[in-house]
Amino acid sequence: LRSSCSVWGGLVESGGSLRLSCAASGFTFDNYAVCWFRQVSGKEREGVSCISISDGRISYAASVKGRATISSDKSKNTVYLQMSSLKTEGTAVYQCAAEDVRHYDGNFYLPRNRFGMDYWGKGTLVTVSS
């Protein structure tokens, strides 16, 4: 998975916005749940948002609900996480991950557990300054 950030260096001011992108290569996202996780140094990795590509179901962590939008572009095999009204506590390393969910035959819940992810992208440091 290749991840990127719309803001160079991932540095934004509090209240600002940015978009994270996660592109798959070598496989298609069609049968995957794609999630964004973040980790603050010294703390556990936490889920931010997930999307089921096949049926469009979405989940958000309470901490970002209303300020984040996850979406997918199947033609580009890419998942996006648009974040707005960023807060300083949003400073973290963000990673996308994907889990093959086809064997669930649609019977699975969101969000997905980070331990079940099949692929991970490189982390992107997002720094929200006050």
Side-chain angles (χ1 to χ4, degrees), residues 56-86:
R57 284 182 292 147
I58 287 171
S59 69
Y60 296 103
S63 57
V64 301
K65 207 164 189 177
R67 299 184 296 112
T69 302
I70 191 170
S71 62
S72 68
D73 185 333
K74 291 185 179 181
S75 67
K76 296 182 179 178
N77 212 24
T78 300
V79 169
Y80 303 98
L81 182 68
Q82 177 75 40
M83 294 190 293
S84 59
S85 301
L86 284 161

PDB file of all heavy atoms in Angstrom, residues 56-86:
ATOM      1  N   GLY A  56     -19.618  -0.350   0.671  1.00  0.00           N
ATOM      2  CA  GLY A  56     -19.577   1.050   1.055  1.00  0.00           C
ATOM      3  C   GLY A  56     -19.826   1.351   2.521  1.00  0.00           C
ATOM      4  O   GLY A  56     -19.916   2.526   2.904  1.00  0.00           O
ATOM      5  N   ARG A  57     -19.956   0.325   3.350  1.00  0.00           N
ATOM      6  CA  ARG A  57     -20.144   0.609   4.774  1.00  0.00           C
ATOM      7  C   ARG A  57     -18.923   1.321   5.327  1.00  0.00           C
ATOM      8  O   ARG A  57     -17.799   1.071   4.921  1.00  0.00           O
ATOM      9  CB  ARG A  57     -20.399  -0.686   5.548  1.00  0.00           C
ATOM     10  CG  ARG A  57     -21.796  -1.246   5.386  1.00  0.00           C
ATOM     11  CD  ARG A  57     -21.955  -2.487   6.228  1.00  0.00           C
ATOM     12  NE  ARG A  57     -21.130  -3.581   5.727  1.00  0.00           N
ATOM     13  CZ  ARG A  57     -20.561  -4.495   6.488  1.00  0.00           C
ATOM     14  NH1 ARG A  57     -20.694  -4.437   7.805  1.00  0.00           N
ATOM     15  NH2 ARG A  57     -19.861  -5.471   5.964  1.00  0.00           N
ATOM     16  N   ILE A  58     -19.206   2.205   6.288  1.00  0.00           N
ATOM     17  CA  ILE A  58     -18.154   3.073   6.833  1.00  0.00           C
ATOM     18  C   ILE A  58     -18.271   3.119   8.347  1.00  0.00           C
ATOM     19  O   ILE A  58     -19.375   3.042   8.898  1.00  0.00           O
ATOM     20  CB  ILE A  58     -18.297   4.498   6.240  1.00  0.00           C
ATOM     21  CG1 ILE A  58     -17.842   4.514   4.778  1.00  0.00           C
ATOM     22  CG2 ILE A  58     -17.509   5.512   7.052  1.00  0.00           C
ATOM     23  CD1 ILE A  58     -18.157   5.819   4.064  1.00  0.00           C
ATOM     24  N   SER A  59     -17.137   3.267   8.993  1.00  0.00           N
ATOM     25  CA  SER A  59     -17.135   3.507  10.443  1.00  0.00           C
ATOM     26  C   SER A  59     -16.121   4.587  10.766  1.00  0.00           C
ATOM     27  O   SER A  59     -15.132   4.763  10.048  1.00  0.00           O
ATOM     28  CB  SER A  59     -16.804   2.222  11.203  1.00  0.00           C
ATOM     29  OG  SER A  59     -15.444   1.843  10.983  1.00  0.00           O
ATOM     30  N   TYR A  60     -16.370   5.294  11.850  1.00  0.00           N
ATOM     31  CA  TYR A  60     -15.460   6.334  12.329  1.00  0.00           C
ATOM     32  C   TYR A  60     -15.282   6.195  13.828  1.00  0.00           C
ATOM     33  O   TYR A  60     -16.225   5.856  14.550  1.00  0.00           O
ATOM     34  CB  TYR A  60     -16.005   7.733  12.050  1.00  0.00           C
ATOM     35  CG  TYR A  60     -16.153   8.086  10.596  1.00  0.00           C
ATOM     36  CD1 TYR A  60     -17.395   8.075   9.975  1.00  0.00           C
ATOM     37  CD2 TYR A  60     -15.039   8.440   9.827  1.00  0.00           C
ATOM     38  CE1 TYR A  60     -17.534   8.392   8.643  1.00  0.00           C
ATOM     39  CE2 TYR A  60     -15.170   8.764   8.491  1.00  0.00           C
ATOM     40  CZ  TYR A  60     -16.421   8.729   7.908  1.00  0.00           C
ATOM     41  OH  TYR A  60     -16.558   9.049   6.579  1.00  0.00           O
ATOM     42  N   ALA A  61     -14.093   6.491  14.284  1.00  0.00           N
ATOM     43  CA  ALA A  61     -13.876   6.593  15.721  1.00  0.00           C
ATOM     44  C   ALA A  61     -14.606   7.828  16.231  1.00  0.00           C
ATOM     45  O   ALA A  61     -14.755   8.822  15.516  1.00  0.00           O
ATOM     46  CB  ALA A  61     -12.379   6.701  16.018  1.00  0.00           C
ATOM     47  N   ALA A  62     -15.043   7.761  17.475  1.00  0.00           N
ATOM     48  CA  ALA A  62     -15.778   8.887  18.062  1.00  0.00           C
ATOM     49  C   ALA A  62     -14.934  10.162  18.048  1.00  0.00           C
ATOM     50  O   ALA A  62     -15.460  11.269  17.909  1.00  0.00           O
ATOM     51  CB  ALA A  62     -16.201   8.540  19.484  1.00  0.00           C
ATOM     52  N   SER A  63     -13.631   9.999  18.159  1.00  0.00           N
ATOM     53  CA  SER A  63     -12.742  11.157  18.246  1.00  0.00           C
ATOM     54  C   SER A  63     -12.671  11.955  16.952  1.00  0.00           C
ATOM     55  O   SER A  63     -12.256  13.112  16.956  1.00  0.00           O
ATOM     56  CB  SER A  63     -11.335  10.709  18.649  1.00  0.00           C
ATOM     57  OG  SER A  63     -10.837   9.750  17.731  1.00  0.00           O
ATOM     58  N   VAL A  64     -13.047  11.354  15.827  1.00  0.00           N
ATOM     59  CA  VAL A  64     -12.961  12.060  14.548  1.00  0.00           C
ATOM     60  C   VAL A  64     -14.315  12.208  13.861  1.00  0.00           C
ATOM     61  O   VAL A  64     -14.422  12.870  12.824  1.00  0.00           O
ATOM     62  CB  VAL A  64     -11.982  11.359  13.573  1.00  0.00           C
ATOM     63  CG1 VAL A  64     -10.590  11.279  14.185  1.00  0.00           C
ATOM     64  CG2 VAL A  64     -12.489   9.984  13.170  1.00  0.00           C
ATOM     65  N   LYS A  65     -15.340  11.602  14.424  1.00  0.00           N
ATOM     66  CA  LYS A  65     -16.648  11.623  13.780  1.00  0.00           C
ATOM     67  C   LYS A  65     -17.107  13.059  13.559  1.00  0.00           C
ATOM     68  O   LYS A  65     -17.029  13.902  14.461  1.00  0.00           O
ATOM     69  CB  LYS A  65     -17.673  10.874  14.628  1.00  0.00           C
ATOM     70  CG  LYS A  65     -18.810  10.280  13.828  1.00  0.00           C
ATOM     71  CD  LYS A  65     -19.562   9.254  14.641  1.00  0.00           C
ATOM     72  CE  LYS A  65     -20.554   8.509  13.788  1.00  0.00           C
ATOM     73  NZ  LYS A  65     -21.259   7.447  14.537  1.00  0.00           N
ATOM     74  N   GLY A  66     -17.561  13.330  12.349  1.00  0.00           N
ATOM     75  CA  GLY A  66     -17.999  14.679  12.024  1.00  0.00           C
ATOM     76  C   GLY A  66     -16.886  15.545  11.458  1.00  0.00           C
ATOM     77  O   GLY A  66     -17.140  16.622  10.907  1.00  0.00           O
ATOM     78  N   ARG A  67     -15.647  15.085  11.604  1.00  0.00           N
ATOM     79  CA  ARG A  67     -14.505  15.853  11.095  1.00  0.00           C
ATOM     80  C   ARG A  67     -13.678  15.059  10.092  1.00  0.00           C
ATOM     81  O   ARG A  67     -12.707  15.578   9.551  1.00  0.00           O
ATOM     82  CB  ARG A  67     -13.608  16.294  12.257  1.00  0.00           C
ATOM     83  CG  ARG A  67     -14.307  17.190  13.265  1.00  0.00           C
ATOM     84  CD  ARG A  67     -13.351  17.694  14.355  1.00  0.00           C
ATOM     85  NE  ARG A  67     -12.828  16.611  15.162  1.00  0.00           N
ATOM     86  CZ  ARG A  67     -11.543  16.236  15.143  1.00  0.00           C
ATOM     87  NH1 ARG A  67     -10.669  16.862  14.376  1.00  0.00           N
ATOM     88  NH2 ARG A  67     -11.133  15.241  15.916  1.00  0.00           N
ATOM     89  N   ALA A  68     -14.057  13.822   9.876  1.00  0.00           N
ATOM     90  CA  ALA A  68     -13.316  12.983   8.939  1.00  0.00           C
ATOM     91  C   ALA A  68     -14.278  12.347   7.949  1.00  0.00           C
ATOM     92  O   ALA A  68     -15.429  12.044   8.301  1.00  0.00           O
ATOM     93  CB  ALA A  68     -12.548  11.889   9.683  1.00  0.00           C
ATOM     94  N   THR A  69     -13.811  12.162   6.737  1.00  0.00           N
ATOM     95  CA  THR A  69     -14.600  11.491   5.715  1.00  0.00           C
ATOM     96  C   THR A  69     -13.717  10.495   4.989  1.00  0.00           C
ATOM     97  O   THR A  69     -12.688  10.881   4.420  1.00  0.00           O
ATOM     98  CB  THR A  69     -15.165  12.494   4.694  1.00  0.00           C
ATOM     99  OG1 THR A  69     -15.961  13.469   5.364  1.00  0.00           O
ATOM    100  CG2 THR A  69     -16.021  11.776   3.658  1.00  0.00           C
ATOM    101  N   ILE A  70     -14.122   9.239   5.027  1.00  0.00           N
ATOM    102  CA  ILE A  70     -13.383   8.216   4.298  1.00  0.00           C
ATOM    103  C   ILE A  70     -14.144   7.917   3.014  1.00  0.00           C
ATOM    104  O   ILE A  70     -15.375   7.919   2.994  1.00  0.00           O
ATOM    105  CB  ILE A  70     -13.188   6.942   5.154  1.00  0.00           C
ATOM    106  CG1 ILE A  70     -12.186   5.990   4.498  1.00  0.00           C
ATOM    107  CG2 ILE A  70     -14.513   6.251   5.421  1.00  0.00           C
ATOM    108  CD1 ILE A  70     -11.761   4.834   5.409  1.00  0.00           C
ATOM    109  N   SER A  71     -13.404   7.699   1.946  1.00  0.00           N
ATOM    110  CA  SER A  71     -14.041   7.429   0.657  1.00  0.00           C
ATOM    111  C   SER A  71     -13.119   6.561  -0.185  1.00  0.00           C
ATOM    112  O   SER A  71     -11.929   6.410   0.136  1.00  0.00           O
ATOM    113  CB  SER A  71     -14.361   8.738  -0.069  1.00  0.00           C
ATOM    114  OG  SER A  71     -13.171   9.462  -0.334  1.00  0.00           O
ATOM    115  N   SER A  72     -13.680   6.011  -1.232  1.00  0.00           N
ATOM    116  CA  SER A  72     -12.861   5.185  -2.117  1.00  0.00           C
ATOM    117  C   SER A  72     -13.128   5.555  -3.569  1.00  0.00           C
ATOM    118  O   SER A  72     -14.228   5.991  -3.919  1.00  0.00           O
ATOM    119  CB  SER A  72     -13.139   3.695  -1.900  1.00  0.00           C
ATOM    120  OG  SER A  72     -14.449   3.369  -2.325  1.00  0.00           O
ATOM    121  N   ASP A  73     -12.120   5.417  -4.374  1.00  0.00           N
ATOM    122  CA  ASP A  73     -12.232   5.602  -5.815  1.00  0.00           C
ATOM    123  C   ASP A  73     -11.766   4.294  -6.438  1.00  0.00           C
ATOM    124  O   ASP A  73     -10.572   4.024  -6.512  1.00  0.00           O
ATOM    125  CB  ASP A  73     -11.362   6.769  -6.268  1.00  0.00           C
ATOM    126  CG  ASP A  73     -11.530   7.087  -7.751  1.00  0.00           C
ATOM    127  OD1 ASP A  73     -11.874   6.166  -8.532  1.00  0.00           O
ATOM    128  OD2 ASP A  73     -11.301   8.234  -8.136  1.00  0.00           O
ATOM    129  N   LYS A  74     -12.721   3.491  -6.867  1.00  0.00           N
ATOM    130  CA  LYS A  74     -12.373   2.168  -7.390  1.00  0.00           C
ATOM    131  C   LYS A  74     -11.551   2.271  -8.667  1.00  0.00           C
ATOM    132  O   LYS A  74     -10.698   1.423  -8.933  1.00  0.00           O
ATOM    133  CB  LYS A  74     -13.642   1.354  -7.633  1.00  0.00           C
ATOM    134  CG  LYS A  74     -14.357   0.942  -6.356  1.00  0.00           C
ATOM    135  CD  LYS A  74     -15.544   0.033  -6.655  1.00  0.00           C
ATOM    136  CE  LYS A  74     -16.244  -0.401  -5.387  1.00  0.00           C
ATOM    137  NZ  LYS A  74     -17.386  -1.300  -5.645  1.00  0.00           N
ATOM    138  N   SER A  75     -11.809   3.295  -9.454  1.00  0.00           N
ATOM    139  CA  SER A  75     -11.076   3.435 -10.711  1.00  0.00           C
ATOM    140  C   SER A  75      -9.589   3.687 -10.465  1.00  0.00           C
ATOM    141  O   SER A  75      -8.750   3.348 -11.300  1.00  0.00           O
ATOM    142  CB  SER A  75     -11.664   4.565 -11.552  1.00  0.00           C
ATOM    143  OG  SER A  75     -11.447   5.822 -10.933  1.00  0.00           O
ATOM    144  N   LYS A  76      -9.296   4.279  -9.314  1.00  0.00           N
ATOM    145  CA  LYS A  76      -7.899   4.557  -8.965  1.00  0.00           C
ATOM    146  C   LYS A  76      -7.368   3.594  -7.922  1.00  0.00           C
ATOM    147  O   LYS A  76      -6.213   3.720  -7.501  1.00  0.00           O
ATOM    148  CB  LYS A  76      -7.767   5.991  -8.456  1.00  0.00           C
ATOM    149  CG  LYS A  76      -8.096   7.038  -9.506  1.00  0.00           C
ATOM    150  CD  LYS A  76      -7.899   8.444  -8.961  1.00  0.00           C
ATOM    151  CE  LYS A  76      -8.219   9.483 -10.031  1.00  0.00           C
ATOM    152  NZ  LYS A  76      -8.076  10.866  -9.525  1.00  0.00           N
ATOM    153  N   ASN A  77      -8.248   2.668  -7.478  1.00  0.00           N
ATOM    154  CA  ASN A  77      -7.830   1.694  -6.454  1.00  0.00           C
ATOM    155  C   ASN A  77      -7.224   2.410  -5.249  1.00  0.00           C
ATOM    156  O   ASN A  77      -6.176   2.007  -4.718  1.00  0.00           O
ATOM    157  CB  ASN A  77      -6.818   0.712  -7.060  1.00  0.00           C
ATOM    158  CG  ASN A  77      -6.899  -0.661  -6.460  1.00  0.00           C
ATOM    159  OD1 ASN A  77      -7.927  -1.066  -5.925  1.00  0.00           O
ATOM    160  ND2 ASN A  77      -5.808  -1.398  -6.536  1.00  0.00           N
ATOM    161  N   THR A  78      -7.929   3.450  -4.837  1.00  0.00           N
ATOM    162  CA  THR A  78      -7.402   4.325  -3.791  1.00  0.00           C
ATOM    163  C   THR A  78      -8.486   4.636  -2.771  1.00  0.00           C
ATOM    164  O   THR A  78      -9.653   4.811  -3.127  1.00  0.00           O
ATOM    165  CB  THR A  78      -6.863   5.631  -4.401  1.00  0.00           C
ATOM    166  OG1 THR A  78      -5.812   5.323  -5.310  1.00  0.00           O
ATOM    167  CG2 THR A  78      -6.320   6.562  -3.330  1.00  0.00           C
ATOM    168  N   VAL A  79      -8.079   4.706  -1.533  1.00  0.00           N
ATOM    169  CA  VAL A  79      -8.954   5.120  -0.436  1.00  0.00           C
ATOM    170  C   VAL A  79      -8.413   6.429   0.123  1.00  0.00           C
ATOM    171  O   VAL A  79      -7.195   6.595   0.253  1.00  0.00           O
ATOM    172  CB  VAL A  79      -9.017   4.041   0.650  1.00  0.00           C
ATOM    173  CG1 VAL A  79      -9.709   4.561   1.908  1.00  0.00           C
ATOM    174  CG2 VAL A  79      -9.740   2.807   0.131  1.00  0.00           C
ATOM    175  N   TYR A  80      -9.321   7.323   0.442  1.00  0.00           N
ATOM    176  CA  TYR A  80      -8.943   8.636   0.954  1.00  0.00           C
ATOM    177  C   TYR A  80      -9.500   8.830   2.360  1.00  0.00           C
ATOM    178  O   TYR A  80     -10.565   8.317   2.707  1.00  0.00           O
ATOM    179  CB  TYR A  80      -9.504   9.739   0.059  1.00  0.00           C
ATOM    180  CG  TYR A  80      -9.088   9.633  -1.377  1.00  0.00           C
ATOM    181  CD1 TYR A  80      -9.923   9.055  -2.329  1.00  0.00           C
ATOM    182  CD2 TYR A  80      -7.855  10.118  -1.798  1.00  0.00           C
ATOM    183  CE1 TYR A  80      -9.550   8.953  -3.655  1.00  0.00           C
ATOM    184  CE2 TYR A  80      -7.462  10.021  -3.127  1.00  0.00           C
ATOM    185  CZ  TYR A  80      -8.313   9.439  -4.048  1.00  0.00           C
ATOM    186  OH  TYR A  80      -7.933   9.335  -5.365  1.00  0.00           O
ATOM    187  N   LEU A  81      -8.777   9.598   3.136  1.00  0.00           N
ATOM    188  CA  LEU A  81      -9.272  10.051   4.428  1.00  0.00           C
ATOM    189  C   LEU A  81      -9.119  11.561   4.465  1.00  0.00           C
ATOM    190  O   LEU A  81      -8.004  12.082   4.552  1.00  0.00           O
ATOM    191  CB  LEU A  81      -8.505   9.405   5.587  1.00  0.00           C
ATOM    192  CG  LEU A  81      -9.000   9.808   6.971  1.00  0.00           C
ATOM    193  CD1 LEU A  81     -10.404   9.236   7.221  1.00  0.00           C
ATOM    194  CD2 LEU A  81      -8.038   9.329   8.061  1.00  0.00           C
ATOM    195  N   GLN A  82     -10.241  12.242   4.347  1.00  0.00           N
ATOM    196  CA  GLN A  82     -10.256  13.707   4.414  1.00  0.00           C
ATOM    197  C   GLN A  82     -10.500  14.099   5.868  1.00  0.00           C
ATOM    198  O   GLN A  82     -11.474  13.639   6.481  1.00  0.00           O
ATOM    199  CB  GLN A  82     -11.375  14.267   3.529  1.00  0.00           C
ATOM    200  CG  GLN A  82     -11.530  15.771   3.579  1.00  0.00           C
ATOM    201  CD  GLN A  82     -10.437  16.498   2.814  1.00  0.00           C
ATOM    202  OE1 GLN A  82     -10.031  16.070   1.738  1.00  0.00           O
ATOM    203  NE2 GLN A  82      -9.944  17.585   3.382  1.00  0.00           N
ATOM    204  N   MET A  83      -9.619  14.881   6.418  1.00  0.00           N
ATOM    205  CA  MET A  83      -9.771  15.320   7.802  1.00  0.00           C
ATOM    206  C   MET A  83      -9.809  16.831   7.856  1.00  0.00           C
ATOM    207  O   MET A  83      -8.987  17.506   7.215  1.00  0.00           O
ATOM    208  CB  MET A  83      -8.633  14.779   8.666  1.00  0.00           C
ATOM    209  CG  MET A  83      -8.660  13.259   8.789  1.00  0.00           C
ATOM    210  SD  MET A  83      -7.516  12.654  10.034  1.00  0.00           S
ATOM    211  CE  MET A  83      -5.963  13.080   9.264  1.00  0.00           C
ATOM    212  N   SER A  84     -10.762  17.361   8.592  1.00  0.00           N
ATOM    213  CA  SER A  84     -10.901  18.801   8.727  1.00  0.00           C
ATOM    214  C   SER A  84     -11.018  19.162  10.193  1.00  0.00           C
ATOM    215  O   SER A  84     -11.148  18.293  11.058  1.00  0.00           O
ATOM    216  CB  SER A  84     -12.130  19.287   7.953  1.00  0.00           C
ATOM    217  OG  SER A  84     -13.296  18.650   8.442  1.00  0.00           O
ATOM    218  N   SER A  85     -10.995  20.455  10.457  1.00  0.00           N
ATOM    219  CA  SER A  85     -11.046  20.959  11.839  1.00  0.00           C
ATOM    220  C   SER A  85     -10.078  20.183  12.722  1.00  0.00           C
ATOM    221  O   SER A  85     -10.419  19.735  13.822  1.00  0.00           O
ATOM    222  CB  SER A  85     -12.478  20.842  12.396  1.00  0.00           C
ATOM    223  OG  SER A  85     -13.389  21.561  11.611  1.00  0.00           O
ATOM    224  N   LEU A  86      -8.879  20.028  12.219  1.00  0.00           N
ATOM    225  CA  LEU A  86      -7.888  19.224  12.931  1.00  0.00           C
ATOM    226  C   LEU A  86      -7.520  19.843  14.270  1.00  0.00           C
ATOM    227  O   LEU A  86      -7.440  21.069  14.414  1.00  0.00           O
ATOM    228  CB  LEU A  86      -6.633  19.053  12.070  1.00  0.00           C
ATOM    229  CG  LEU A  86      -6.793  18.049  10.928  1.00  0.00           C
ATOM    230  CD1 LEU A  86      -5.729  18.266   9.855  1.00  0.00           C
ATOM    231  CD2 LEU A  86      -6.712  16.626  11.461  1.00  0.00           C
TER     232      LEU A  86
END
